[in-house]
Amino acid sequence: VIVWLSKRAQRLSQKWGRCQTTVFFKWLGITNMFLMLLAYHAGLPTWAVVAFYLFRTTTMNCCSALTKSQLYDCVKKSERGKFTVLESVNMFSWSGSAAAGGILVDKIGITNNFIVTGTLQFVATMPLLFLFGLPSEAAQKEMRATETR
């Protein structure tokens, strides 16, 4: 499902722009996390809560190729290896994040932990709003074609 949605996101990014598409899917994922919480507290069946969770996970992860391409557009080819290493550290840090989440669950409960997580994820998208002025992938291709003429 993530692969299918990733392809849809890539296609959508050609019209909207990569950054706009990324923010859209991140916000959609965050919304689904809060809907998951509401479904849980409303006593909806487990399958409904799981459906929100799966949709949330899919939408949050479907734009990784778009974000990587945006980063690589701003980094010299000779410097990309450094950012790949940083990405590996980021992936490794998820285990530390899970440990912190476990501590938070003990302190404030699972529901509040999800609220904190959703809020932090929303705040993390704010810097992306400053990139909205960047041209879409289609516009970049057109500019490169014009430059080579």
Side-chain angles (χ1 to χ4, degrees):
V1 175
I2 290 176
V3 172
W4 180 83
L5 197 55
S6 293
K7 289 183 180 191
R8 300 290 98 35
Q10 181 183 14
R11 195 169 287 153
L12 187 60
S13 74
Q14 293 171 346
K15 293 179 183 176
W16 286 2
R18 291 175 293 178
C19 194
Q20 291 89 332
T21 302
T22 299
V23 169
F24 170 76
F25 280 104
K26 295 290 184 188
W27 285 359
L28 193 58
I30 294 164
T31 300
N32 274 279
M33 184 181 330
F34 288 115
L35 289 173
M36 177 185 73
L37 287 173
L38 289 172
Y40 173 75
H41 284 289
L44 292 181
T46 303
W47 65 264
V49 176
V50 170
F52 283 122
Y53 171 77
L54 291 174
F55 192 62
R56 174 237 172 255
T57 301
T58 303
T59 55
M60 290 298 284
N61 295 320
C62 74
C63 291
S64 60
L66 291 177
T67 55
K68 188 180 282 190
S69 71
Q70 291 172 82
L71 173 67
Y72 285 172
D73 280 353
C74 301
V75 175
K76 295 178 191 174
K77 286 185 180 184
S78 61
E79 302 288 319
R80 290 181 183 173
K82 295 175 185 176
F83 284 92
T84 302
V85 169
L86 284 176
E87 185 178 359
S88 298
V89 171
N90 180 40
M91 297 304 265
F92 176 74
S93 71
W94 279 105
S95 58
S97 173
I103 293 167
L104 269 178
V105 167
D106 285 344
K107 300 274 185 199
I108 64 174
I110 189 85
T111 299
N112 290 328
N113 185 36
F114 279 122
I115 292 170
V116 168
T117 300
T119 302
L120 289 174
Q121 288 174 339
F122 178 76
V123 169
T125 63
M126 292 296 113
L128 295 174
L129 299 177
F130 293 106
L131 302 177
F132 271 25
L134 295 178
S136 67
E137 193 173 334
Q140 287 181 14
K141 284 181 183 178
E142 187 176 314
M143 287 188 290
R144 281 185 285 234
T146 304
E147 290 173 358
T148 58
R149 290 184 193 162

